[in-house]
């Protein structure tokens, strides 16, 4: 069962389950669920769940029809029906890609957002849940009543300690509803940590039209991606599972070092390129790294981030960095900077702020990290350097706009955003080294633009 069946799942986890089916393990079909929009159901159900994965990097291109998805449900249409499916004895694994905001956790405390109307509704009546933690909790409650073992819950979102986060959300919800349910989930359930990696740009109408010419049929559910794929899962399960290792999935005792490397190198650079590139009027990641100054800036960002890592023995950081730069350069993917820039307030803490905090705690400067953070702040103003007005797609967009509107100058603007505790931990935002570095980077962006600021020489501290 997969919650949040968007393009990423169809290009990543569904392919692995399709591998299992093709190898003869017929237990591992997928039932997908969208928590809100019917779009994916309307794309896939008329195609009997079949869709094309287009893999390309500019030098090679392949097409694959994936048949793992058996059905797609829309949770909002019939929440109880989704809970019923999740509670069926045939379901052994529930995976999720619901984005950072889908976990409904307060960034500062890590607890459920009790002031969220959807969370409040789930706590009041779990028979028709509305949130991802609500659906998981409701299904586990029904399984317990039926004498079934819990399923394994595998978060596939780019979050540090993603398994611990969904476990925390579910246990808190269960504890507020039924303490015995809480204890059963805590004792019997499994929420392994994971690290996932594959670049999956948004599908465009032009992509669909081009593939229809190639195939002779229209595939509304197609996805496009790169050749690289990685899935690392903590070896902790509550029940049955595929032979993951046979299908290019790495099982490990600890995911943390892999997770940190990906979040701070790949994802941190991706967000930095998104804001700097979009501000400069560049539509795609490959265009952004084609600018020599911005490509060099990424290397400087990685130099800073690398000092905060403790990579596992089989992760060669120099090789990994080279692979990442090659992946960013894939022109065929046409990965939009504005797509990556979405929901930045939810992504910033793990992709850039944790790295900055680690650098500062070690007494090291953060010029590249500060510029990336300042670029996020500039993006909140809703206008690029070439004069385009943009819609800031972010859960906190209304709040950031209010704070910016109330500021009198750039110093006030930076201070107002740094005091946003939903994004910046007080221990970090109160550090004068951090505040000064971000303010200077913001002023440089205003004065020189994204490319000019990225090209400034680094002044080493005396």
């Amino acid at each position: 069962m997969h919650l949040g069946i968007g393009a990423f799942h169809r290009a990543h986890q569904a392919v692995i389950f399709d591998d299992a089916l093709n190898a003869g393990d017929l237990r591992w079909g997928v039932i997908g669920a969208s928590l809100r929009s019917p779009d994916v159901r309307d794309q896939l159900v008329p195609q009997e769940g079949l869709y094309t994965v287009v893999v390309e990097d500019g030098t090679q291109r392949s097409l694959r029809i994936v048949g793992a998805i058996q059905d797609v449900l829309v949770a909002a249409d019939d929440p109880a029906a989704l809970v019923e499916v999740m509670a069926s004895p045939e379901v052994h694994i529930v995976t999720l890609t619901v984005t950072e905001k889908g976990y409904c956790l307060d960034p500062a405390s890590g607890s459920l957002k009790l002031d969220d109307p959807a969370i409040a509704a789930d706590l009041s009546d779990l028979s028709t849940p509305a949130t991802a933690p609500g659906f998981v909790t409701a299904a586990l409650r029904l399984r317990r009543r039926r004498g079934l073992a819990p399923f394994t819950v595998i978060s596939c979102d780019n979050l540090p300690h993603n398994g611990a986060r969904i476990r925390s959300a579910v246990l808190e919800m269960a504890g507020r509803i039924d303490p015995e349910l809480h204890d059963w989930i805590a004792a019997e359930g499994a929420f392994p940590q994971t690290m996932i990696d594959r670049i999956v740009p948004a599908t465009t109408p032009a992509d669909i039209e081009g593939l229809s010419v190639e195939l002779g049929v229209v595939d509304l559910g197609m996805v496009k991606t790169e050749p690289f794929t990685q899935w690392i899962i903590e070896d902790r399960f509550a029940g049955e599972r595929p032979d993951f290792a046979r299908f290019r999935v790495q099982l490990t005792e600890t995911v943390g070092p892999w997770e940190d490397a990906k979040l701070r190198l790949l994802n941190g650079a991706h967000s930095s390129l998104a804001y700097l590139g979009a501000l400069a009027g560049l539509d795609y990641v490959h265009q952004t790294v084609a600018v020599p100054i911005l490509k060099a800036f990424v290397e400087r960002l990685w130099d800073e981030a690398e000092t905060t890592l403790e990579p596992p023995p089989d992760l060669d950081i120099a090789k990994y960095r080279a692979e990442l730069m090659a992946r960013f350069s894939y022109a065929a993917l046409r990965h939009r900077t504005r797509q990556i820039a979405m929901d930045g307030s939810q992504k910033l803490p793990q992709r850039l702020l944790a790295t900055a905090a680690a650098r500062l705690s070690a007494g090291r400067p953060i010029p590249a990290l500060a510029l990336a953070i300042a670029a996020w702040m500039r993006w909140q103003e809703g206008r690029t350097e070439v004069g385009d007005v943009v819609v800031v797609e972010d859960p906190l967009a209304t709040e950031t706009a209010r704070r910016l509107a109330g500021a009198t100058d750039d110093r006030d603007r930076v201070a107002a955003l740094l005091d946003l505790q939903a994004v910046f931990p007080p221990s970090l935002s109160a550090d004068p080294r951090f505040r000064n570095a971000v303010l200077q980077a913001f002023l440089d962006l205003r004065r020189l633009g994204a490319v000019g600021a990225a090209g400034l020489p680094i002044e080493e501290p005396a």
Side-chain angles (χ1 to χ4, degrees), residues 288-438:
T288 306
V289 294
V291 178
I293 287 176
L294 295 178
K295 182 177 182 179
F297 168 79
V298 172
E299 296 289 354
R300 289 164 49 193
L301 184 83
W302 284 339
D303 288 343
E304 292 182 16
E306 185 176 337
T307 65
T308 72
L309 300 176
E310 297 180 3
D314 45 351
L315 177 58
D316 183 331
I317 292 292
K319 180 181 177 182
Y320 184 54
R321 286 174 55 162
E323 289 174 343
L324 289 180
M325 190 61 76
R327 293 165 64 194
F328 291 165
S329 302
Y330 293 161
L333 286 180
R334 300 180 72 79
H335 202 179
R336 293 184 64 86
T337 51
R338 294 189 189 186
Q339 178 193 353
I340 303 166
M342 292 170 58
D343 297 340
S345 68
Q346 311 295 295
K347 299 172 180 176
L348 213 66
Q350 60 268 16
R351 296 187 177 195
L352 295 169
L353 300 185
T355 320
R359 287 275 300 182
L360 291 171
S361 68
R364 296 187 172 109
I366 56 166
L369 288 160
L371 184 64
I373 294 163
W376 171 80
M377 293 180 168
R378 284 277 287 112
W379 186 249
Q380 303 312 298
E381 295 179 333
R383 185 180 294 274
T384 71
E385 295 167 5
V386 296
D388 293 338
V389 176
V390 296
V391 176
V392 178
E393 298 185 58
D394 190 287
L396 296 181
T398 300
E399 176 62 18
T400 57
R402 184 189 69 80
R403 288 172 177 252
L404 289 170
T408 57
D409 58 22
D410 281 345
R411 291 180 180 274
D412 283 348
R413 292 183 184 95
V414 171
L417 293 180
L418 286 177
D419 290 338
L420 185 60
Q421 293 188 17
V423 178
F424 296 94
S427 59
L428 181 62
S429 63
D431 188 328
R433 297 171 299 169
F434 180 73
R435 297 184 77 90
N436 291 338
V438 174

Side-chain angles (χ1 to χ4, degrees), residues 262-282:
K262 177 178 182 288
L263 286 168
R264 297 184 183 187
L265 296 178
L266 187 151
N267 298 124
H270 241 176
S271 287
S272 304
L273 288 168
Y275 295 117
L276 291 169
L279 285 170
L282 300 169

Side-chain angles (χ1 to χ4, degrees), residues 41 133 153 160 216 315:
R41 178 198 61 189
V153 181
L315 177 58

